[in-house]
Structure formats: structure tokens, C-alpha cells
Amino acid sequence: MNTASRQASWPPRSASGLIGAEIAGYRVERELGRGGMAVVYCAKDLRLGRTVALKLLAPEYTRNEAFRSRFAQESRVAAAIDHPNIVPVFEAGEADGILYIAMCFVSGLDLRALIDREGRLTVPAALRIAAQLASALDAAHARDLVHRDVKPGNVLVAKGIDSDHPEHVYLTDFGLAKKSLSLTGFTSAGEFVGTLDYVAPERITGRPVDGRSDLYSLACVVHETLVGVPPFHREDHLELLWAHQCDQPPALSEGRPDIPAEADEVMFRALAKVPDDRYDTCMEFVSALRTAVGEVGPRGRTPTLVDMRVGADCADPGAEAEAEAARVVVPEPPAWAVPVLRGPA
Ligand SMILES: Nc1ncnc2c1ncn2[C@@H]1O[C@H](COP(=O)(O)OP(=O)(O)OP(=O)(O)O)[C@@H](O)[C@H]1O
Ligand SMILES: [Mg+2]
């Protein structure tokens, strides 16, 4: 069946062909975003009537048996972690050969979009985000679950509960790291997916990976939130891999002179090439950073993310409607997603 006849039997109800489709009991409403391996939709759970984020994984992953079994196992583990900073997973399964995950819909921005829009964050905001991520990661590590893909795109930032907690951070995508791909992140079609900006040296060399690999990635993210760019930023992928393994990271205080030089040592330790030389836990790292920076607590802060973009996008209904309208203008679904479209019986 060619694409045209598939679409004819599946009349799209909007410019985006998947909108209105029912997949595994979820009705797709709009696209939220896409990465190298999946498209994430806002969808309605037709059984419970609630809104969810529905992630559909590209068949490249579905076909890979190792990925499938790890996906199933780690989705189960991730779903079992009840932590305020980990996106709750409701269900993971397969429909028409497409792996899907239904998870809590988070209204806000991902950290990638936030940094792209705002540049570097205020020190208190960066530290608050770091602490929430550290807490989530330590909880996962305590259950022997390593995230493997800690990066700004996997951090969702929502409006917090009050002025002491202006933003609430969720870590997402446990168990979805592209382990099945080659080291450089190229698919069999030669297309580059993902980023190597946050990858720990031991992942590059194929040495054992544990929670301290996530700690390294977290430190890269923290550096980026404070400076605006990750510690190792190279145009060339091989140079980047080399830098993670061999180059001394830049001092944090060079990129951010308002941060005391004591923080440099903390970052150097978190970004150590050898896991044994790093902190044992993510919270230990963030606590050391807070101390070095002279942070006493959540009060006494400069303008927050809520004051800035998250608040503007999510706090008042008018802005939210505007943000929603902007999100509806999305590209066509990728070709691989078309087969999961089902017409009315
Ligand atoms: N639970 C969620 N609630 C709301 N939006 C979400 C949710 N999960 C993901 N998104 C949005 O969908 C986007 C795409 O997610 P996806 O995981 O596919 O891509 P990515 O993490 O940027 O890249 P990669 O393919 O390397 O994982 C996210 O960046 C985020 O903006
Ligand atoms: Mg992701």
C-alpha cells in the first residue's frame, strides 16, 4: 500500500495526520515534541478520560530485540519508582508494531527549550533544578536503574507549587537511551540522532556504567544551565568524544565569573574521567556545589523561571492558549508513524 492510499483510508482530521487517531486506547490530540527516536503527543486516555503524554517510538527500535526487552524491563522499573521528580509512567506496550509509553502530561517546557530561549539561568534557579534532578537520579540509582541519557531535552520544567518552589522539575525517558545504536549515535541510515554533549567517558569506551555516569551527565547539564553551553562543546563528534575522555573541563568560574572559584573544584570532581574519582551520589555533588556557591536555601533569590518563561507560558490561561496554538503548528508525522493510523471500523 502506498502512502497516498494509506492516507486515503485514514483521512487525517487536521494538517498533522496522527491527530484524532486512536492508538492503544488513546486519542491523539496534538504533538508536543519529537526527538531522534520518537514523537510525543498530547493524548486522551479514553478509558479514564485523562490527558496523557503518549510517546511513540520509531520502528528502528521496535525491531531491535535487545532494545525491546530492555525497554519493557526498564519501563516497568521506571513505572515502579514513585518520586516527585520522575515523570510517572502509566503504561508501556506495543500497538501495531509500535512501542508506546503513556505517561503523565507535564505542562511546561523542557530544559533544552528553556536554555535556548533564556540562555543561562540564574544561579538559584540552576541549583534548584540541579537538586531536583539529583534527588530523582539518586532514587533511581538506589533501585539499580541508570538513566543513561540525562540531558536538557529529558528534563521537563513545570510551574512549581509556591514562591519557594517556583518550578517543578521532572526527569523523563528512563531506559530509552540509544544503546542499540552505534556509539556515535548514527542510525543504520546514517542519520545522526541525539547528542553526545553529556555522555560520560566510560560510556564511550564501553566500560561498565553505573549511577556515577548519570552524575557526570548531570554535571554537564548543570554547567550548561549556569554557563549557557555544556562543558565540552565541539562541532566535530570525534573531537567531542575525545574531549570527554581526555580534555580538562573549563572552570565554571571562567564562564560564570559571579560564581566563586570554590565551585570549580566541585565541578571538576563531578566531571572526573574515572567514576571512582567522582562523588558517590548526585545529591552529594549538588550539596557541595550549593556550599561552594554560598547558597543558603531557596530564599533570597533573583528573578525565577516562573517570573521568566515558565510563568509566562503556563501561569495564565491566555498565555497557555497562545502556547497551545503555537504547539499545534507541527510538521507532518514521520513516515514510520503512518502505519499505526487506524480508520474508523
Ligand atoms: N511527559 C511529557 N509531557 C509533556 N511534554 C513531553 C513529555 N515527554 C516529552 N515531552 C516533550 O516532547 C519532546 C520530545 O521528547 P523526546 O523524548 O522524543 O525527544 P528528546 O528527549 O528531545 O530527544 P531524544 O530523541 O534524544 O530522546 C520533549 O523535549 C518534550 O518537550
Ligand atoms: Mg527524551
Side-chain angles (χ1 to χ4, degrees), residues 9-11 13 22 340-345:
S9 67
W10 236 105
R13 296 177 203 177
E22 280 181 31
V340 300
L341 300 177
R342 279 200 225 108

Side-chain angles (χ1 to χ4, degrees), residues 8 37 95-96 134 137 161 165 170 189 271 294 302 320 333:
M37 66 196 302
D96 294 345
L137 286 168
I161 45 168
H165 306 89
Y170 295 88
L271 292 169
T302 45
E320 186 155 2

Side-chain angles (χ1 to χ4, degrees), residues 41-280:
Y41 294 96
C42 182
K44 178 77 84 186
D45 180 340
L46 297 172
R47 289 149 294 203
L48 298 173
R50 68 179 165 187
T51 297
V52 302
L54 184 69
K55 179 163 194 158
L56 304 182
L57 287 128
E60 174 156 9
Y61 299 91
T62 311
R63 283 192 296 269
N64 183 306
E65 201 43 57
F67 182 90
R68 284 168 66 107
S69 58
R70 203 160 58 92
F71 167 83
Q73 197 225 328
E74 298 204 1
S75 296
R76 266 197 299 277
V77 178
I81 304 179
D82 183 13
H83 188 279
N85 300 113
I86 294 177
V87 175
V89 171
F90 299 143
E91 189 195 2
E94 190 173 336
D96 294 345
I98 298 284
L99 293 173
Y100 68 89
I101 307 168
M103 57 189 151
C104 176
F105 167 68
V106 176
S107 178
L109 286 177
D110 63 72
L111 188 58
R112 173 75 280 131
L114 192 67
I115 297 170
D116 288 347
R117 286 191 194 187
E118 308 293 341
R120 67 189 201 181
L121 308 181
T122 65
V123 173
L127 291 177
R128 284 194 303 267
I129 289 174
Q132 293 181 57
L133 291 177
S135 176
L137 286 168
D138 284 347
H141 299 158
R143 291 164 178 79
D144 288 330
L145 183 67
V146 182
H147 189 287
R148 294 192 188 88
D149 199 17
V150 176
K151 61 177 185 176
N154 284 337
V155 175
L156 304 174
V157 186
K159 187 172 179 286
I161 45 168
D162 56 38
S163 58
D164 272 353
H165 306 89
E167 63 286 299
H168 191 97
V169 171
Y170 295 88
L171 186 59
T172 185
D173 278 359
F174 275 93
L176 294 182
K178 302 168 192 67
K179 202 179 181 184
S180 58
L181 294 179
S182 68
L183 173 66
T184 51
F186 286 91
T187 65
S188 50
E191 183 191 353
F192 182 74
V193 292
T195 171
L196 296 168
D197 283 345
Y198 314 92
V199 68
E202 61 273 20
R203 284 202 63 206
I204 297 169
T205 51
R207 277 172 288 160
V209 163
D210 61 24
R212 294 166 302 177
S213 311
D214 285 343
L215 193 156
Y216 179 96
S217 305
L218 173 65
C220 292
V221 172
V222 170
H223 183 101
E224 183 170 3
T225 57
L226 288 167
V227 175
V229 287
F232 300 114
H233 199 55
R234 310 279 190 279
E235 290 305 315
D236 182 85
H237 298 309
L238 289 177
E239 276 179 30
L240 180 55
L241 294 174
W242 178 265
H244 278 300
Q245 290 198 77
C246 302
D247 289 357
Q248 167 84 355
L252 186 64
S253 59
E254 261 171 42
R256 189 78 191 234
D258 57 324
I259 290 180
E262 286 77 10
D264 296 344
E265 291 308 316
V266 176
M267 293 302 291
F268 289 149
R269 183 168 166 195
L271 292 169
K273 306 298 180 196
V274 178
D276 281 348
D277 293 340
R278 297 176 201 147
Y279 293 94
D280 287 330

